[in-house]
Amino acid sequence: MVEPVLKAVFPVAGLGTRFLPATKALPKEMLTVVDKPLIQYAVEEAREAGIEDFIFVTGAGGELFKSHFGPAAGLEEALRERGNDEALASVLDCLIDEDHMHVTPQSRPLGLGHAVGCARGLVGDAPFAVLLADDIILARPGGLRQMVDAYGETGGNIVALEDVPREMTARYGVMDVEEDLGHMVRARGLVEKPEPKDAPSTLAVIGRYILQPEVFGHLARGEKGAGGEIQLTDAIAATIGQIPLHGIRFEKRYDCGNRLGFIEANIAIALARDDLRDSVRQMLEAYP
Ligand code: G1P
């Protein structure tokens, strides 16, 4: 029996430079896709996977996450008085119980590995998930749920994967494959942002991880990797041999960290919704 994954870390301290000026005062993860901020898609996916504790590693604007997932008595009362049950339900859906929401700052932007390392005290000595909210995975069951199910079989560290065109490998962590079992892949290595000619495969890590606490030990060394940043990929790679690493393939994720991916996610999510599908389809017909 593996120890259950009950805590999730959401690194939300990035500068969001690709979305300036929208992200000048607003954290990237608070940008809206259709009618929910990116971070809420990730929180809902985590909840579906059985996560009970939500840890936000924040930069400037961190208070916004507390308000978004915290109670809003005045708004709730106003909606109740107006009998607007649908809007009220959407507001109540956001709630994370105060005792289960943790916010911790990342004082300096030293990389994803550093951000995750900032959550060490809150995670403690237990397996944990990491979700990068700018990757949206539309899967049924949800992305992290599928990973938690696989984790029940394999234990160890698990990352989500997408097969990308070779010319894109320098944007991602890329897996060195030991054994390809189809939906699941066993790794012998993991490399951050390799040039296409050096990439060991085209299986790229997308923003979902299940990790063992040993990863924190490697992060704490503060070793700098690709781009001069403390890389989560390097810490995971350092544990292979001691801790097995598997990847779970996903067919489609939306990279909301860039403009085109963000626009595509808005369209795809609207088209997946019964209340919007027909009118959005009709609207798009005006743009042949
Ligand atoms: C981060 C990780 C990278 C991963 C990517 C997924 O990179 O370092 O391994 O493939 O997220 O979105 P970033 O997008 O922060 O450069």
Side-chain angles (χ1 to χ4, degrees):
M1 268 288 279
V2 295
E3 201 180 332
V5 185
L6 300 175
K7 298 181 178 184
V9 177
F10 301 84
V12 290
L15 297 178
T17 45
R18 290 196 209 121
F19 277 98
L20 285 168
T23 47
K24 189 174 165 216
L26 193 70
K28 173 177 65 173
E29 293 78 7
M30 289 302 291
L31 293 176
T32 307
V33 172
V34 182
D35 54 8
K36 282 190 290 200
L38 281 168
I39 188 67
Q40 196 175 332
Y41 289 91
V43 162
E44 288 175 358
E45 186 183 321
R47 208 174 245 153
E48 184 200 339
I51 296 298
E52 293 179 357
D53 277 283
F54 301 81
I55 301 166
F56 299 89
V57 181
T58 61
E63 286 304 308
L64 280 175
F65 296 96
K66 267 194 191 154
S67 350
H68 184 75
F69 292 107
L75 176 61
E76 288 165 25
E77 197 183 305
L79 294 171
R80 227 171 252 126
E81 271 168 20
R82 290 177 193 188
N84 193 341
D85 296 341
E86 201 181 323
L88 179 62
S90 77
V91 169
L92 296 177
D93 263 358
C94 296
L95 285 178
I96 298 177
D97 184 72
E98 208 186 338
D99 298 339
H100 293 278
M101 177 156 91
H102 315 275
V103 177
T104 191
Q106 183 188 14
S107 48
R108 286 173 300 158
L110 299 180
L112 177 61
H114 177 254
V116 171
C118 291
R120 184 179 194 172
L122 289 163
V123 170
D125 192 25
F128 62 103
V130 176
L131 294 95
L132 308 185
D134 51 9
D135 280 328
I136 291 187
I137 297 176
L138 286 188
R140 285 280 150 257
L144 191 64
R145 174 81 258 168
Q146 293 190 31
M147 293 169 69
V148 165
D149 290 345
Y151 171 72
E153 306 285 317
T154 63
N157 292 328
I158 304 204
V159 294
L161 296 173
E162 183 186 36
D163 209 348
V164 300
R166 185 161 276 276
E167 62 269 22
M168 308 248 291
T169 57
R171 289 194 198 176
Y172 298 102
V174 176
M175 187 168 266
D176 190 355
V177 177
E178 171 83 36
E179 191 184 12
D180 193 337
L181 305 161
H183 184 50
M184 189 188 284
V185 177
R186 194 157 55 84
R188 78 160 77 94
L190 198 62
V191 194
E192 182 67 12
K193 299 192 169 58
E195 289 304 321
K197 63 173 175 33
D198 305 323
S201 78
T202 53
L203 286 177
V205 176
I206 52 178
R208 303 289 184 275
Y209 307 77
I210 292 175
L211 300 175
Q212 300 305 311
E214 285 80 357
V215 170
F216 285 126
H218 292 275
L219 290 174
R221 293 184 193 156
E223 283 165 20
K224 290 186 177 150
E229 296 190 339
I230 301 171
Q231 296 290 354
L232 184 58
T233 297
D234 296 342
I236 298 169
T239 64
I240 300 175
Q242 178 196 1
I243 297 170
L245 172 64
H246 289 87
I248 302 292
R249 267 201 177 88
F250 290 94
E251 286 306 315
K252 182 71 191 160
R253 63 96 201 215
Y254 299 92
D255 177 4
C256 296
N258 76 66
R259 292 193 189 101
L260 262 188
F262 183 78
I263 294 166
E264 190 187 3
N266 272 279
I267 297 170
I269 289 176
L271 288 174
R273 271 177 47 167
D274 293 343
D275 57 334
L276 291 171
R277 183 179 307 114
D278 292 346
S279 26
V280 171
R281 232 183 250 289
Q282 221 171 25
M283 193 170 72
L284 290 175
E285 276 167 17
Y287 301 89

